Amino acid sequence: MFAVFPFARKVLRAALLPLVALAVAACDQVPGGFGIGPSINTGEAVPVALLVPSGSGQTGDAILAQSLENAARLAMRDLNGATIDLRVYQTAGDAGTAAARAEQAIDEGAKIILGPVYAASANAVGNAVSGKGVSVLSFSNNAAIAGGNVFILGQTFQNTANRMVGHARAQGKERFVVVYGQDDAGAQGRDAIANAVNAQGASVVGSVGYALSQQDVIAAIPQIKSAVQSNAADAVFMTTDTATALPLLSQLLPEAGVTTATSQFIGLTRWDIPPQTLSLPGVQGGWFAVPDPSATANFSAQYQGAYGSLPHPIGGLAFDGIAAIGALVSQGQSDALTGGALTQGAGFRGASGIFRLRPDGTNERGLAVATISDAQVVILSPAPQSFGGAGF
């Protein structure tokens, strides 16, 4: 396996947890569900079930669970007159327990379920409450479990790929080589990039996979170089992250003569986490997507002011869920939590900027495009502030 940089190993669980969730394949999908939903009394507190992974005995799960609950309660402070009765249920990070808690929550009156985190648990919850007219807003980013009564709030590879390819096309990039890890996340990332490239009128002129070991990454370098040079590629789109192959690829490709100066390096994951990554020579000039920096900073400041610490990297998803529910309930309609209402085109404003839920259960988020220059993050294209603008 990779000889992961020490700093990358330390943050793998926290910073890259959404990608871990992505790799958990779903078994089933609940059919239908988008045209139905509970009838609510917006004049009273709306019961919302929050499913968190505490109770597993894992410190990381407990920290994440507390951050999600804190973020949800932070969002409840400003809901334009709407009132939410937040009910927290522990899932122990287990799919069976999550399903049982979801059924319990509905029996106790919950009108919508916020969470759980892990894809397998979210899939189990969706199946368990199928036919009960209740939507599940999961914190997963695994598009494989989206659909029916299950929405995912986590940032998806497809969303990122669409934004990055759109920016690249605007800069004249037309011929892409895709470099991907040969695991579930890498395959999903590869497909997301291909979909985005094809949809936006460009071409994937090469695709190179590598097994998840240092030796295999090294062996892939000549293949990548050949794919780039023989196909006159002007962009190299990588699925890797900073905890696995990015440090090695960003070092070896320039040494082999493939540089971002002639074939733009693009990342499907964030290249600014952990901060030490910014000093790597090979990532200078690369492009990647980040959530709206202003919105993210504002949320972090509010959270730190309220709780004395920074939120978990995906803690803001609970804020988003409550913000969306509150925005809909505040409109005073009894059908505020139906699938049709949840997928309103205008979307919502959350912890990291604008987002909206799609009828297929996935989501779109307003992302900025960033680069690294002199070990500093520089925004090349700001995050859109409404849907219909840049990147959409």
Side-chain angles (χ1 to χ4, degrees), residues 95-122:
T97 303
R101 295 294 175 267
E103 292 181 296
Q104 177 188 348
I106 292 177
D107 290 342
E108 293 175 351
K111 300 299 183 182
I112 193 167
I113 294 173
L114 186 56
V117 174
Y118 303 113
S121 293

Side-chain angles (χ1 to χ4, degrees), residues 183-233:
D183 61 353
D184 288 342
Q188 291 186 42
R190 174 201 62 201
D191 293 346
I193 294 169
N195 289 339
V197 169
N198 293 332
Q200 298 188 50
S203 301
V204 173
V205 296
S207 185
V208 180
Y210 55 85
L212 301 187
S213 73
Q214 181 171 305
Q215 179 179 352
D216 284 295
V217 173
I218 294 172
I221 297 299
Q223 300 175 54
I224 299 170
K225 178 179 180 179
S226 176
V228 169
Q229 294 183 344
S230 63
N231 294 293

Side-chain angles (χ1 to χ4, degrees), residues 10-377:
K10 291 177 182 177
V11 300
L12 180 59
R13 172 95 181 148
L16 301 179
L17 189 145
L19 301 185
V20 175
L22 177 62
V24 180
C27 300
D28 303 289
Q29 235 179 49
V30 180
F34 286 107
I36 62 174
S39 177
I40 63 173
N41 182 352
T42 58
E44 299 179 352
V46 176
V48 175
L50 174 63
L51 272 56
V52 296
S54 49
S56 68
Q58 300 295 317
T59 301
D61 282 343
I63 293 172
L64 172 55
Q66 189 60 63
S67 189
L68 290 167
E69 182 178 349
N70 288 347
R73 296 196 184 282
L74 186 64
M76 290 169 58
R77 297 183 180 185
D78 184 17
L79 294 180
N80 195 27
T83 305
I84 287 176
D85 175 11
L86 188 68
R87 303 172 180 183
V88 182
Y89 298 84
Q90 296 185 350
T91 70
D94 175 73
T97 303
R101 295 294 175 267
E103 292 181 296
Q104 177 188 348
I106 292 177
D107 290 342
E108 293 175 351
K111 300 299 183 182
I112 193 167
I113 294 173
L114 186 56
V117 174
Y118 303 113
S121 293
N123 187 68
V125 167
N127 284 309
V129 303
S130 175
K132 296 188 177 182
V134 174
S135 292
V136 178
L137 306 186
S138 166
F139 302 131
S140 173
N141 66 347
N142 189 343
I145 67 167
N149 60 340
V150 177
F151 295 88
I152 56 174
L153 290 172
Q155 182 179 319
T156 67
F157 280 163
Q158 193 62 64
N159 192 177
T160 303
N162 290 344
R163 178 65 167 114
M164 296 309 303
V165 171
H167 178 77
R169 294 289 287 120
Q171 305 306 310
K173 308 302 181 185
E174 298 183 350
R175 301 174 65 79
F176 293 75
V177 166
V178 181
V179 178
Y180 65 96
Q182 293 174 334
D183 61 353
D184 288 342
Q188 291 186 42
R190 174 201 62 201
D191 293 346
I193 294 169
N195 289 339
V197 169
N198 293 332
Q200 298 188 50
S203 301
V204 173
V205 296
S207 185
V208 180
Y210 55 85
L212 301 187
S213 73
Q214 181 171 305
Q215 179 179 352
D216 284 295
V217 173
I218 294 172
I221 297 299
Q223 300 175 54
I224 299 170
K225 178 179 180 179
S226 176
V228 169
Q229 294 183 344
S230 63
N231 294 293
D234 51 19
V236 178
F237 207 147
M238 309 177 199
T239 68
T240 186
D241 55 60
T242 56
T244 51
L246 179 62
L248 201 54
L249 287 170
S250 65
Q251 173 190 338
L252 297 181
L253 284 174
E255 290 178 358
V258 180
T259 71
T260 200
T262 55
S263 299
Q264 178 65 53
F265 289 180
I266 303 174
L268 193 61
T269 62
R270 291 184 64 167
W271 288 9
D272 59 333
I273 299 175
Q276 294 94 322
T277 309
L278 300 176
S279 64
L280 297 177
V283 303
Q284 308 303 308
W287 296 347
F288 56 98
V290 296
D292 186 331
S294 178
T296 302
N298 182 58
F299 166 69
S300 293
Q302 288 187 49
Y303 187 100
Q304 188 165 29
Y307 303 110
S309 63
L310 291 173
H312 187 281
I314 67 167
L317 297 179
F319 184 100
D320 291 352
I322 293 296
I325 294 167
L328 294 171
V329 171
S330 69
Q331 297 173 12
Q333 303 298 316
S334 62
D335 62 352
L337 299 183
T338 62
L342 288 166
T343 56
Q344 64 174 21
F348 311 96
R349 187 166 295 277
S352 58
I354 61 169
F355 70 99
R356 62 181 172 187
L357 301 173
R358 297 167 53 89
D360 64 1
T362 62
N363 66 77
E364 285 181 281
R365 290 183 171 274
L367 304 173
V369 176
T371 191
I372 301 171
S373 178
D374 296 327
Q376 299 292 320
V377 176

